[in-house]
Amino acid sequence: MATIAKIQPKNLISIGLLVFIPIAIAAEKLEWGALTVFVLSAIAIVPLAIWLSTATEEIAVVLGPAIGGLLNAVFGNATELIIALVALKEGLVDIVKASITGSIIANLLLVMGLSMLLGGLRYKEQDFQPMVARVNGSTMTLAVVAIVLPATVITTSNVVEQSAINKLSIFVAIVLIAVYAFTLLFSLKTHSYLYDVSVVELEGNVSQDEAGEQGEHGKPNLWFWIGILLVATIGIAFVSEIFVGAVEEATKGLGLTPLFTGVILLPLVGGAAEYVTAVRVAIKNNMDLSVSVAMGSSLLVALLVAPILVLVGQVIGQPMDLNFNMFEVIAVIIAVVIANLISLDGRSNWLEGMLLLATYAVLGAAFYFHPVL
């Protein structure tokens, strides 16, 4: 009963949105049109992503900081990874590559922007640990270098064999995964004290009713939330098949390019849970956790999701390299530089949030009008 009492007020919206899952399935079976299926399946993914995120958080509470932190690190962007894997299997390599840069840009500009804006409207200024922001920013800079290198090799060379680009991408992917492993060691083991403040502040935001429930009934039911995690993961994989099946035809009908679809639309669907979490805790004056979610999600995409897609693509016969469109590279550099500059002082206000959102809007418009090559 304690679990049910906790679920209903916290996830009421996501429970209501679950109705779109059977509607999306019916829309595909009854052939209601690609655009209708695309919209309905996109909405259906959102509550599943929220439940996946919630289950991960609840399991982390039971298993403790070390294993819980690792679980959050692995499942933090599971929705985006599942959608990208399904799209890669269907051969939509251009859209998948665009979604990688789009996720990084969205987390650094849109998520941090919304968090700083809405948190700043409630509190004049908000503080967060600049040390954590600097560490994340330094690691993000390495990820940008990895994204820039293959494109630079092609730009500065007259003739480059595709096989050479594939080999370079595989090597870079392995290095990035190794770097991600070291960042986990840093954040969960050797320097975990730097990240404890977010957990402490989040626990401080628990309501008295919830605290009473936890005190009376103990920790969340582990097996219940493992079941929710599995069901949500399977549900996302299933609905993603429907979503990806309609995305190409639907976006063409709207006059949208694969570049815009991947950079703007897919991250909005796949990252919904992270967006809600980051904004929610920012409004509760926990900018430490909000910034960690935004920058941590970007790192997860750059250091783990992208390399996994490169390696899996080789295995399933849909080779994907790290040779990104030069405009995507420039956009990621802009996002990283601006996010680093704003987070350096460890303080934020609503104007800085507005500046991040304005940058995202300008980049979004640029991608919309970017010509198809």
Side-chain angles (χ1 to χ4, degrees):
M1 293 300 293
T3 302
I4 296 174
K6 187 177 179 181
I7 289 175
Q8 288 179 341
K10 184 179 179 182
N11 299 291
L12 188 59
I13 295 177
S14 61
I15 291 174
L17 290 176
L18 288 174
V19 71
F20 282 94
I21 297 174
I23 295 176
I25 296 172
E28 185 203 25
K29 299 297 182 184
L30 299 176
E31 299 181 352
W32 290 358
L35 181 58
T36 303
V37 173
F38 171 74
V39 173
L40 290 174
S41 57
I43 297 173
I45 289 174
V46 172
L48 291 170
I50 293 174
W51 280 109
L52 177 63
S53 176
T54 302
T56 303
E57 293 171 5
E58 296 294 335
I59 294 171
V61 171
V62 178
L63 298 181
I67 299 177
L70 180 62
L71 194 66
N72 275 308
V74 173
F75 281 90
N77 288 72
T79 303
E80 291 164 294
L81 178 59
I82 292 170
I83 294 174
L85 286 172
V86 172
L88 186 62
K89 182 173 67 73
E90 296 298 321
L92 304 178
V93 178
D94 290 339
I95 291 180
V96 173
K97 288 170 67 174
S99 70
I100 293 171
T101 53
S103 295
I104 295 172
I105 294 167
N107 280 300
L108 293 178
L109 299 180
L110 178 62
V111 179
M112 278 185 63
L114 280 173
S115 300
M116 290 182 177
L117 173 63
L118 297 179
L121 290 176
R122 188 170 182 181
Y123 304 94
K124 192 171 184 179
E125 279 196 337
Q126 294 179 291
D127 299 324
F128 53 91
Q129 281 201 20
M131 176 61 184
V132 175
R134 282 197 298 270
V135 171
N136 288 335
S138 300
T139 314
M140 197 67 240
T141 302
L142 167 67
V144 170
V145 171
I147 290 174
V148 169
L149 268 178
T152 306
V153 169
I154 290 180
T155 304
T156 57
S157 305
N158 293 327
V159 178
V160 182
E161 294 290 338
Q162 182 59 45
S163 60
I165 294 298
N166 287 337
K167 290 176 182 177
L168 175 61
S169 298
I170 293 171
F171 177 78
V172 172
I174 294 171
V175 171
L176 290 179
I177 291 175
V179 170
Y180 186 68
F182 284 119
T183 62
L184 290 182
L185 178 65
F186 181 87
S187 61
L188 300 178
K189 188 69 176 176
T190 65
H191 289 69
S192 59
Y193 61 89
L194 292 175
Y195 299 82
D196 288 343
V197 63
S198 298
V199 178
V200 172
E201 291 184 7
L202 182 61
E203 289 174 351
N205 286 325
V206 176
S207 68
Q208 292 182 352
D209 291 338
E210 290 177 344
E213 287 178 4
Q214 291 178 1
E216 182 181 350
H217 298 278
K219 292 181 178 180
N221 187 316
L222 177 61
W223 293 110
F224 172 81
W225 287 108
I226 288 177
I228 294 293
L229 181 68
L230 292 175
V231 170
T233 302
I234 294 170
I236 290 170
F238 180 77
V239 179
S240 294
E241 292 276 359
I242 301 174
F243 176 74
V244 170
V247 66
E248 206 169 16
E249 185 180 347
T251 52
K252 279 183 180 178
L254 293 172
L256 304 178
T257 63
L259 181 63
F260 180 84
T261 302
V263 172
I264 303 299
L265 293 187
L266 259 62
L268 293 178
V269 175
E274 285 75 30
Y275 302 169
V276 171
T277 299
V279 173
R280 178 171 59 85
V281 297
I283 294 174
K284 292 181 177 181
N285 201 26
N286 187 353
M287 280 305 296
D288 269 304
L289 184 57
S290 184
V291 170
S292 293
V293 168
M295 300 192 78
S297 292
S298 295
L299 284 176
L300 186 58
V301 170
L303 300 180
L304 189 64
V305 173
I308 286 176
L309 291 171
V310 170
L311 299 178
V312 170
Q314 300 294 324
V315 174
I316 66 175
Q318 294 288 357
M320 189 191 92
D321 54 45
L322 294 175
N323 176 30
F324 292 92
N325 179 306
M326 188 54 71
F327 184 61
E328 292 178 78
V329 172
I330 294 171
V332 170
I333 292 173
I334 290 172
V336 171
V337 169
I338 292 178
N340 283 342
L341 287 174
I342 286 182
S343 61
L344 277 177
D345 62 351
R347 302 177 70 86
S348 66
N349 53 61
W350 67 264
L351 180 59
E352 290 180 336
M354 183 65 72
L355 293 175
L356 289 173
L357 291 176
T359 305
Y360 183 76
V362 171
L363 284 176
F367 277 111
Y368 179 79
F369 290 106
H370 192 283
V372 180
L373 301 178

